[in-house]
Amino acid sequence: MTDFHAVIPAGGAGTRLWPLSRAQRPKFLLDLTSDGRTLIQQTWDRLVKVIPADHIHVVSGLAHAPLIQEQLPELTNIYAEPAPRDSMAAIGMAAAVIGQRDPDAVIGSFAADHVIADTAAFVAAVQEAKQVADTGLVCTLGITPRGPSTAFGYIEAGAAIPGFASARAITRFVEKPDHATAEKYVAGGSHYWNAGMFITRADVLLGHLERLHPELHAGLAAIGQAWDTPKREEVLESTWPGLPKIAIDHAIAEPVSLEGGMGVVPGDFGWDDIGDFEALSELAGADRDDTLWIDSDGLAIADDGTLIAVVGVPDAIVVRTRDALLVTTRDQAQRVKEVPEALKQRDRTDLV
């Protein structure tokens, strides 16, 4: 794995976890699992079991870069985006820089805010995916579904790839389905949750980008060539604002999968992206010293230790911070993202 580099895109505000997650301190900087380590620190802890610390690269916004560096003092490769341009630009910039330094590099993209319970199983899946990527395929880790979730996109797997323990070709990526369709996917056994973890040779990724999105590739190539020179800031500031905004799923994964250029390694390692309070309630449970449940269940959090008592309310979500209080239910948890938008309309950006 000496030629393997990990890229951690650390962006987004985690609006479905408001008021815990805010624009200035998003969820990847929080210890949501009460393990004593924030989500990005947990991501770091997993990756250093696979590769050296100097092969880990973080891409984030200007506002978050100092906070990330504070939480990850051993981090030596951090790329501060002048403005958000979505995941393809973020991952592509790191790939362009890494490719300049090491033309034979293989890169893996791993989100900063995922939770993984079984690190050994995760490492084994990454190692197999890296071997698949060595052949020139773009590989992803497909999460074995725990049930018919409608919160995730799905990967449809095809035939096994010869020479590998579990890798399969990808037939296509599927957008978030309705419940009936999700049930069919899970029952069929050929669909996996798409967790957005991609492993590929840097030159293969950039080659696909040059072919499919030449304008974006040209800008990222210019930034990569200038990164280790005195012209870094000048080229970054002049080039970055004009880069097209597109996610890596739409830019690379979906079209390349339809061309037969992608593989998937199934993973069953206790993955979760803690996308909302319903997901967090499944991880955190109700056994907290600052919560009293009477004929109720759900999740209640007070970040200052205030006792929360919930009486006769099933599936409750109650979250209290110094300056805000959220009350909702599990089945409405996805709608929490509407709160920051409503606050912006009221010019209460101090709470966002």
Side-chain angles (χ1 to χ4, degrees):
M1 300 284 278
T2 55
D3 58 347
F4 187 72
H5 293 253
V7 178
I8 304 175
T15 53
R16 286 177 295 178
L17 289 171
W18 183 93
L20 295 180
S21 182
R22 309 284 184 100
Q24 295 303 311
R25 201 167 187 85
K27 66 174 180 174
F28 60 82
L29 293 172
L30 305 177
D31 177 13
L32 292 178
T33 58
S34 301
D35 291 328
R37 299 284 280 173
T38 66
L39 297 184
I40 195 170
Q41 287 174 326
Q42 292 180 38
T43 303
W44 173 275
D45 295 343
R46 286 191 295 273
L47 292 173
V48 291
K49 296 183 186 312
V50 185
I51 55 175
D54 62 0
H55 280 209
I56 300 176
H57 309 251
V58 176
V59 186
S60 192
L62 288 168
H64 300 143
L67 300 173
I68 292 170
Q69 193 70 71
E70 180 182 325
Q71 291 195 2
L72 302 176
E74 297 177 69
L75 176 66
T76 58
N77 299 296
I78 187 163
Y79 308 78
E81 303 171 293
R85 306 307 297 166
D86 220 321
S87 61
M88 187 67 259
I91 297 167
M93 175 168 62
V97 175
I98 294 166
Q100 283 287 316
R101 296 172 179 172
D102 180 4
D104 298 321
V106 176
I107 64 170
S109 172
F110 306 97
D113 53 7
H114 291 178
V115 172
I116 290 173
D118 188 342
T119 297
F122 167 76
V123 169
V126 170
Q127 289 172 332
E128 182 177 349
K130 194 269 182 186
Q131 293 171 352
V132 174
D134 283 337
T135 70
L137 293 174
V138 178
C139 193
T140 188
L141 302 185
I143 307 302
T144 303
R146 295 189 298 272
S149 174
T150 60
F152 308 120
Y154 283 73
I155 300 163
E156 183 178 317
I161 301 176
F164 297 98
S166 62
R168 299 171 66 178
I170 292 178
T171 302
R172 61 174 180 147
F173 286 81
V174 185
E175 295 294 335
K176 296 176 182 178
D178 58 32
H179 187 76
T181 303
E183 286 185 323
K184 292 179 182 178
Y185 288 165
V186 174
S190 292
H191 287 79
Y192 303 93
W193 289 343
N194 176 18
M197 293 183 274
F198 299 99
I199 296 91
T200 175
R201 288 191 345 225
D203 65 329
V204 168
L205 179 69
L206 295 170
H208 285 310
L209 200 57
E210 183 176 21
R211 178 173 59 89
L212 297 169
H213 302 277
E215 180 184 355
L216 180 54
H217 174 269
L220 294 174
I223 293 170
Q225 291 165 6
W227 192 264
D228 290 325
T229 76
K231 293 186 176 181
R232 175 197 296 183
E233 294 303 324
E234 175 188 342
V235 173
L236 184 62
E237 291 177 8
S238 63
T239 305
W240 190 265
L243 296 181
K245 294 182 69 173
I246 187 170
I248 189 171
D249 300 75
H250 302 313
I252 299 293
E254 292 173 4
V256 173
S257 69
L258 296 176
E259 299 168 350
M262 286 202 64
V264 57
V265 171
D268 190 3
F269 36 71
W271 172 89
D272 205 299
D273 71 344
I274 317 186
D276 56 30
F277 283 113
E278 181 181 16
L280 183 58
S281 69
E282 294 175 1
L283 288 172
D287 187 19
R288 296 172 59 98
D289 293 337
D290 57 1
T291 307
L292 176 62
W293 299 96
I294 299 177
D295 295 329
S296 305
D297 57 39
L299 177 71
I301 298 174
D303 67 358
D304 62 356
T306 297
L307 175 70
I308 297 177
V310 186
V311 181
V313 183
D315 294 327
I317 302 291
V318 183
V319 181
R320 182 185 187 277
T321 64
R322 175 187 58 82
D323 57 356
L325 173 66
L326 169 73
V327 181
T328 186
T329 58
R330 278 183 175 142
D331 65 349
Q332 296 293 312
Q334 294 252 339
R335 295 189 59 194
V336 172
K337 64 183 179 182
E338 298 174 22
V339 176
E341 289 302 316
L343 289 170
K344 290 177 185 177
Q345 294 175 11
R346 294 189 180 189
D347 293 326
R348 290 302 309 270
T349 55
D350 57 307
L351 293 173
V352 176

